[in-house]
Amino acid sequence: MAIRVLIVDDSDITRRLLRAIVRSRRWTICGEAENGTSGVVQFQDLKPDVVLLDLSLPDVTGIEVAKLMGSLEPKIPIILFTILDIEGIEAAAKEAGIKAVVPKSQAWDLISTIETEVGRSRAARA
């Protein structure tokens, strides 16, 4: 299944890792943003199938970005990809409309998480 991915992360190293994961599945990176403001603009313009979002961004938090994106298009799944304590942010993430939280230490788990969440999203729209 072809999947269009928007990456929102301020770390060049993390974006490179995410590009490698996405390309390993022959999915498409439709956009990349280094901050939340740019991420929201690209989200509106590009209408990706899924967003990979960092929690800690230089301008706003990933939680705030997810709320904005969700208000614009609630059916596009957002996956929070973070190095921070998952248990401490999971409730706030879910409340913001984030579909899944994946720790950066488990980066390759993103593949199954993306497939699951995009599949759910597409089924809900069908």
Side-chain angles (χ1 to χ4, degrees), residues 77-81 90 93-94 97-102 113-114 117:
I78 300 168
I79 298 170
L80 192 64
F81 186 57
E90 225 163 26
K94 295 293 181 190
I98 293 168
K99 299 297 182 192
V101 179
V102 176
T113 304
I114 291 167
E117 295 306 330

Side-chain angles (χ1 to χ4, degrees), residues 33-78:
E34 295 180 13
N35 61 60
T37 303
S38 176
V40 171
V41 170
Q42 289 188 47
F43 179 83
Q44 287 178 287
D45 293 342
L46 301 172
K47 303 286 191 258
D49 293 313
V50 65
V51 177
L52 302 180
L53 176 64
D54 188 19
L55 178 65
S56 182
L57 297 167
D59 55 348
V60 294
T61 69
I63 299 294
E64 293 166 345
V65 171
K67 287 178 182 177
L68 286 168
M69 289 177 174
S71 71
L72 297 167
E73 181 55 64
K75 293 185 179 179
I76 295 175
I78 300 168

Side-chain angles (χ1 to χ4, degrees), residues 4 8-9 12 18 32 34 56 64 71 83 89 91 108 110 123:
R4 297 175 65 248
V8 183
D9 197 302
D12 184 53
L18 293 173
E32 286 187 35
E34 295 180 13
S56 182
E64 293 166 345
S71 71
I83 199 163
I89 57 148
W108 289 100
L110 278 171

